[in-house]
Amino acid sequence: MIRILALYYSQTGQLTRVVRSMTAPLEGRADIQIVWQNLQPKRPYPFPWPFLDFLDVFPESVHMVPPEMEPVSFDPDSHFDLIILAYQVWFLSPSLPVTGFLKSSAARVLKDKPVITVIACRNMWLSAQEKVKAMLTSLGARLIDNVVLVDQGPPWTTFVTTPMWLLTGKKEGFWGIFPAAGVREKDIADAGRFGHAIADSLHLLKSPNCSSLLQGLGAVKVNPSYIASERIAHRSFYVWGRLFMAMGKPGAPLRRALLLVYVVFLIAMILTVAPLGALMRLALKPFLRRRLDAEVLKLEQPSGSSTERMAKYSQ
């Protein structure tokens, strides 16, 4: 019997659907047991998200300050052959409920276990995954694969549609220009290919040297233009986040007032400095190509972006 633990937290339900699609080929098999754990904070995060409440989780998200969590329903000392950890990205960091779990005593279940991370987000996930990788390493887990699904549409459209979805609950496209928010339905359905590949590799899970099961399936693709942008943005988030936390706990009036000031600053940066930075990186790209290629290869590990096995597992 192969035992799989699926850990997830999803505000909108999209990430839950992604993981369910991914594991569908494994469901109902007599030789596989999937244990599901919805990671729940004691104080729920709302959806849709009021604007100030949305901003107010930014400092703790970036600094990975864990919220109080509800107890898990599984035994953290029981055996699992594979753990799937699915998470959203909040402010270039793992969502707070996932941080809360990773910093809880229940996270000992990850020790010496192969782990597949699954991300569904707007488009920037590199910083969050590096944080999760560091946490998994500190817990003694072995990251064997990473699957990333990003929102449909070019970045300039998702800059509008994703916040609108989170703040209003409306994800439909509009004006004939903006696509629907979130990951494409086809991409969610196609996540089943990962489950089929896992099903074909169950015997490998028993090996202490188990490595990637999902290479060649287009599991993750790094956009090199985001690498520098994410690092600059995360550095800014980190510095400002420390200042916000010094103003008090979430909900403190002074902190919320300062958050509004930061929003104005952030929008100004996005509209001015970000385009100039993009032009500069474009100009320097020919001189940095080798370095960027190496960085992309590193960030795409362990699953990689190659697609040579796609034909075998396409639905």
Side-chain angles (χ1 to χ4, degrees), residues 56 92 97 101 105 133 244 288-289:
D56 216 6
L92 307 183
F101 169 76
S105 61
K133 284 164 64 175
F244 294 139
L288 300 174
R289 184 176 299 277

Side-chain angles (χ1 to χ4, degrees), residues 3 31 41 87 91 137 198 215 247 255 259 293 295 314:
R3 300 189 75 226
D31 58 338
Y87 70 93
F91 299 98
T137 298
I198 293 170
Q215 286 186 356
M247 297 295 103
R255 168 168 155 154
L259 279 166
D293 288 347
E295 190 74 7
S314 295

Side-chain angles (χ1 to χ4, degrees), residues 226-242:
Y226 293 158
I227 296 175
S229 299
E230 274 210 44
R231 287 175 178 165
I232 293 169
H234 186 270
R235 192 175 299 117
S236 172
F237 283 175
Y238 195 85
V239 172
W240 280 84
R242 187 179 296 278

